[in-house]
């Protein structure tokens, strides 16, 4: 047992090695598995009731109380206030949405959207970056790096610019949505376009980080997940601390789903909630590794003794068969999710399920979200498409309370949106399927009669 109140610990039950909170590792130094941030709650101040956090809103002139992440700081208490880096992240919204609820097939009032597109860089990633940058400051890092499908690099570049650190991002050539690339460039990140997909970038950034001593900000960094736990705290807060029946979240690298599971596990352990919601993690059909591992290969957390070899075998099978991920939902176009093992734990804590949905389903669901007054990027809509599938299957009851996480803002990937509505997708990003809610722009002559006819008299 580590004597410190906060430390890092290997997640595999057969190892369980620990290291200090101020150490910088991207994997367990003993066995190479993922690390967790672990709290000895008996040595830390923890509020008696979750409702005490909401009271902080009255003190929002303090940036840490304004932040939707640091408002909950006792539950991610790995550094002191001086290290905490914040940009006012987490001012996000949970709203019921009747239109999307009907589309999903739920009874009135059953569907809620947690809109993480409202974050400073336009995606949920800011929840994690604020935490990882705080750890980077704690350890005195100067250069930070990540591999990214787009949003991680946008968020990293923003927080680095804010914190006065140098950022280096690795993106797959031609795979990144333009809104996200634009952000990385604008925020001054050194942007390397690697000839390869996300998984190739991930491999390379780890090598480069080791050789050059860069602080790695991918979600192998356990501190990012600490920040992402607060998405669930805000969901609970918005529901007057009553857990919903289901949380539905898109799955890419599986950092978010892992963080959600950890949050509920800790809240339960602290006695701050008595019921844990069920979790549904939704893959894109073209990047369905988790679906395969859980539903076909029956991989389970197994009390921390998960089958490491099964993961390695799957990766090797992907190599042998030259399987590459492909989906319009670029944020979840990931075939070797680095947090797979932690996600298994989340599925175990939350009695979770995994499904995959097609790109056509994703884009239809996205168009519904837009039409119903929020808007999101393609990956986010996988949650709505997934919820719809699960209601159809009868796994989610029609009278359940369901929260779908909208992970990113609609403006992140305008090409996908315009492609869907016009039928003209960018080369290499074509989506087959019906486009049930396409809203075609109308070509009209510069003539007032023609215009009035087109508007509808
Ligand atoms: C990163 C990202 C995801 C995937 O989240 P993971 O934590 O990697 O599973 C989904 N949607 C958007 C918009 C993202 O940026
Ligand atoms: Zn280990």
């Amino acid at each position: 047992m580590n004597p410190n109140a906060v430390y890092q610990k290997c997640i595999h039950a057969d190892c369980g090695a620990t290291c200090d909170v101020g150490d910088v590792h991207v994997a367990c130094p003993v066995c190479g598995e993922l690390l967790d941030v672990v709290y000895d709650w008996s040595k830390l101040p923890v509020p008696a009731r979750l409702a005490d956090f909401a009271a902080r809103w009255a003190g929002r002139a303090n940036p840490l109380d304004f932040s939707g992440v640091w408002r909950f700081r006792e539950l991610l208490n790995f550094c002191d206030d001086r290290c905490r880096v914040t940009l006012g992240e987490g001012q996000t919204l949970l709203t019921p949405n009747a239109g999307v609820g009907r589309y999903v097939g739920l009874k009135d009032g059953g569907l809620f959207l947690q809109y993480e597109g409202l974050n400073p860089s336009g995606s949920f990633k800011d929840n994690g970056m604020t935490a990882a940058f705080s750890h980077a400051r704690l350890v005195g890092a100067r250069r930070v790096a990540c591999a990214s499908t787009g949003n991680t690099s946008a968020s990293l570049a923003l927080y680095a610019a804010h914190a006065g650190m140098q950022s280096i991002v690795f993106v797959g050539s031609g795979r990144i949505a333009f809104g996200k690339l634009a952000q990385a460039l604008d925020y001054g990140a050194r942007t390397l376009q690697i000839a390869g997909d996300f998984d190739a970038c991930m491999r390379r950034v780890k090598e480069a980080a080791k050789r050059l001593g860069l602080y790695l900000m991918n979600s192998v960094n356990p501190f990012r997940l600490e920040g992402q736990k607060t998405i669930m705290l805000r969901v609970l807060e918005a529901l007057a601390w009553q857990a919903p029946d289901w949380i539905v979240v898109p799955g890419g690298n599986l950092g978010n789903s892992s963080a959600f599971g950890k949050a509920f596990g800790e809240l339960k352990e602290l006695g701050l909630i008595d019921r844990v919601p069920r979790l549904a993690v939704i893959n894109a059909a073209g990047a369905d590794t988790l679906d395969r591992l859980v539903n076909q290969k029956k991989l389970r957390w197994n009390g921390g003794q998960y089958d490491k070899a099964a993961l390695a075998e799957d990766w090797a099978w992907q190599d042998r068969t030259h399987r590459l991920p492909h989906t319009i939902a670029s944020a979840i176009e990931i075939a070797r999710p680095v947090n797979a093992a932690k996600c298994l734990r989340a599925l175990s804590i939350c009695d979770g399920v995994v499904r995959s949905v097609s790109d056509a389903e994703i884009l239809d669901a996205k168009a519904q979200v837009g039409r119903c007054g929020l808007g999101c990027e393609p990956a986010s809509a996988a949650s709505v498409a997934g919820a719809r599938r699960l209601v159809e299957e009868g796994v989610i009851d029609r009278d359940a309370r369901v929260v779908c996480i909208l992970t990113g803002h609609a403006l992140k990937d305008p090409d996908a949106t315009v492609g869907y509505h016009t039928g003209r997708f960018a080369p290499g990003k074509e989506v087959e399927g019906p486009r049930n809610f396409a809203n075609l722009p109308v070509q009209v002559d510069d003539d007032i009669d023609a215009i009035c006819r087109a508007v509808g008299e």
Side-chain angles (χ1 to χ4, degrees):
M1 190 69 183
N2 194 299
N4 299 319
V6 189
Y7 53 96
Q8 302 183 66
K9 182 170 187 223
C10 174
I11 65 165
H12 202 286
D14 290 347
C15 174
T18 65
C19 52
D20 285 350
V21 69
D23 290 352
V24 181
H25 295 294
V26 294
C28 171
V30 176
C31 76
E33 294 295 293
L34 294 166
L35 290 170
D36 238 353
V37 181
V38 178
Y39 305 90
D40 179 349
W41 301 111
S42 69
K43 296 181 183 151
L44 293 162
V46 185
R49 303 171 319 132
L50 282 170
D52 296 346
F53 288 118
R56 289 233 166 100
W57 188 237
R60 61 191 174 276
N62 171 3
L64 293 178
D65 284 345
F66 180 77
S67 165
V69 171
W70 297 111
R71 213 145 44 80
F72 300 100
R73 51 193 172 268
E74 284 80 1
L75 299 177
L76 53 153
N77 214 348
F78 60 81
C79 64
D80 66 24
D81 285 359
R82 276 166 313 167
C83 292
R84 289 178 176 135
V85 175
T86 179
L87 265 173
E89 56 289 320
Q91 301 307 318
T92 62
L93 187 68
L94 182 93
T95 47
N97 194 301
V100 175
R102 271 194 296 281
Y103 180 67
V104 166
L106 293 171
K107 291 207 180 124
D108 270 2
L111 186 107
F112 298 81
L113 297 173
Q114 172 69 15
Y115 187 34
E116 290 295 316
L118 290 174
N119 275 294
S121 82
S123 84
F124 79 82
K125 297 296 197 299
D126 296 344
N127 291 283
M129 280 306 159
T130 185
F133 270 85
S134 301
H135 184 253
R137 189 170 270 176
L138 174 79
V139 303
R142 289 164 177 272
R143 293 204 292 176
V144 297
C146 72
S148 176
T149 62
N151 280 332
T152 302
S153 58
S155 182
L156 171 125
L158 177 63
Y159 277 84
H162 175 72
M165 296 181 202
Q166 196 194 335
S167 59
I168 301 119
V169 306
F170 290 49
V171 297
S173 207
R175 305 305 310 167
I176 182 172
F178 254 45
K180 308 175 187 182
L181 179 60
Q183 288 179 288
L185 298 174
D186 213 32
Y187 301 140
R190 185 159 186 83
T191 305
L192 308 186
Q193 296 193 289
I194 310 289
D197 64 0
F198 172 81
D199 300 294
C201 291
M202 190 66 226
R203 246 190 325 269
R204 293 304 185 195
V205 77
K206 279 188 183 167
E207 288 170 15
K210 201 164 175 186
R211 200 185 290 185
L212 302 171
L214 311 174
Y215 183 96
L216 192 66
M217 286 276 179
N218 275 98
S219 54
V220 287
N221 180 323
F223 295 93
R224 264 189 53 199
L225 304 199
E226 292 308 294
Q228 288 170 211
K229 293 189 306 195
T230 64
I231 300 171
M232 289 302 103
L233 297 169
R234 297 196 299 273
V235 164
L236 290 174
E237 182 179 54
L239 295 174
W241 309 108
Q242 297 299 308
D245 297 309
W246 285 89
I247 301 285
V248 190
V249 63
N253 245 333
L254 305 176
N256 229 9
S257 44
S258 298
F260 296 177
K262 187 170 190 281
F264 289 119
E266 290 173 353
L267 290 174
K268 192 89 203 298
E269 185 191 336
L270 285 165
L272 292 168
I273 54 171
D274 45 35
R275 197 172 61 87
V276 166
R278 295 191 68 186
L279 181 68
V281 184
I282 312 300
N283 276 164
D288 61 349
T289 303
L290 184 71
D291 185 7
R292 180 172 63 251
L293 293 173
V294 169
N295 293 322
Q296 286 175 34
K297 302 196 174 165
K298 308 290 178 205
L299 208 60
R300 294 293 180 270
W301 171 244
N302 194 23
Q305 289 178 309
Y306 57 91
D307 186 353
K308 297 195 244 190
L311 287 172
E313 265 163 38
D314 192 88
W315 285 201
W317 171 79
Q318 291 183 37
D319 279 340
R320 276 201 310 280
T321 55
H322 305 288
R323 221 180 139 87
L324 289 177
H326 190 83
T327 166
I328 190 76
S330 55
I332 53 175
E333 190 177 59
I334 293 171
R336 298 154 195 249
V338 298
N339 286 299
K342 284 186 177 176
C343 183
L344 295 177
R345 175 174 65 186
L347 292 168
S348 150
I349 291 170
C350 298
D351 188 15
V353 300
V354 181
R355 292 292 183 274
S356 316
V357 291
S358 71
D359 280 7
E361 287 173 273
I362 287 174
L363 290 186
D364 271 354
K366 178 174 125 54
Q368 282 292 309
V369 172
R371 209 171 256 210
C372 296
L374 273 184
C376 64
E377 66 168 282
S380 314
S383 62
V384 172
R388 185 170 196 256
R389 182 76 79 79
L390 288 163
V391 170
E392 230 167 60
E393 286 180 17
V395 175
I396 296 183
D397 284 344
R398 285 188 189 280
D399 54 8
R401 296 218 304 172
V402 178
V403 175
C404 290
I405 312 299
L406 298 183
T407 44
H409 198 282
L411 292 177
K412 289 283 193 174
D413 191 355
D415 285 350
T417 307
V418 174
Y420 174 84
H421 289 294
T422 61
R424 287 191 297 277
F425 289 98
K429 307 233 173 122
E430 296 84 0
V431 174
E432 304 289 322
R435 297 169 39 240
N436 287 313
F437 310 106
N439 178 22
L440 267 171
V442 184
Q443 301 294 331
V444 182
D445 287 338
D446 182 11
D447 171 85
I448 189 63
D449 295 326
I451 289 170
C452 289
R453 272 197 304 281
V455 171
E457 278 167 300

